[in-house]
Each structure stands twice: as C-alpha cells, then as structure tokens.
Amino acid sequence: MSALSTIGLSKRYGDRRGIEDCTVELDGDVDELLEEHRDLVGPADAGPPEIGTVVHARKSGRQQRMLVREPGVLAPGWEFRQPDLESLVTDYLRAGRERAGA
C-alpha cells in the first residue's frame, strides 16, 4: 500500500461502534504500521502489560483489551495478536474521541 493512505469510515461503522463519520490519515506504510502495533488481552485487574505506547484501552468484565504501539516484552497473563486495519483505525478514532471529550 502507499506511504500515505486515507481511509473513510462509513456511517454504518458509526452506528455500530459509536464513532461518528470521519476520515483517518495513516502516515506510513500500512503493513509497517500494523506490524508496529499489538492487540493485547489480559486480566482486568492487571497492571500495564508491557512497555510501549497505549493507544486505546477498555475493560469488559474480567478482561481488558489494549492497542499498544511499539510493544516491548509481554508480561505473564497477557495474550496478543497483530491488529487488522479496521481494528487499528477504530481504536485510534476511539482514542481521539476520548481525548476530545466526546
């Protein structure tokens, strides 16, 4: 994919996930951006799972999920996977919305 990609999320994503219509601009190669991030799942009462920048975190029941950029060593009790493009974009949108106080 190109070095600069623009992704528009349709209204159906907004309805399903609580994110308004918007556009996200990814600055970098999409495959490289995906490789720089990890989707982490661990116990809700656990501390930070690893060194890295937490983009977005949420708790649900006894688990928490985090999107982390440039992760380090994973702590015991945590599982990870590389996010897909949709997860990456929606977590950045959620993080931006939370920062904006929406």
Side-chain angles (χ1 to χ4, degrees):
M1 296 199 181
S2 72
L4 185 62
S5 301
T6 301
I7 301 167
L9 296 181
S10 69
K11 185 62 178 170
R12 76 180 170 90
Y13 286 126
D15 292 341
R16 191 174 83 210
R17 296 208 172 106
I19 300 171
E20 298 175 15
D21 284 329
C22 53
T23 300
V24 174
E25 194 172 282
L26 300 176
D27 187 13
D29 180 76
V30 172
D31 292 331
E32 289 176 11
L33 288 170
L34 292 172
E35 287 175 18
E36 291 176 0
H37 291 79
R38 292 292 176 266
D39 245 338
L40 307 175
V41 176
D45 59 351
E50 58 182 60
I51 298 170
T53 303
V54 176
V55 174
H56 185 259
R58 66 178 181 256
K59 292 183 180 184
S60 175
R62 291 185 275 167
Q63 288 188 327
Q64 62 179 313
R65 183 188 159 274
M66 295 181 181
L67 177 68
V68 177
R69 185 171 188 169
E70 299 177 354
V73 177
L74 193 61
W78 287 87
E79 298 178 7
F80 74 93
R81 69 176 179 86
Q82 183 174 329
D84 58 23
L85 184 58
E86 179 181 351
S87 296
L88 182 81
V89 170
T90 54
D91 277 353
Y92 269 95
L93 289 171
R94 286 183 179 116
R97 184 176 178 177
E98 288 172 4
R99 279 192 305 271

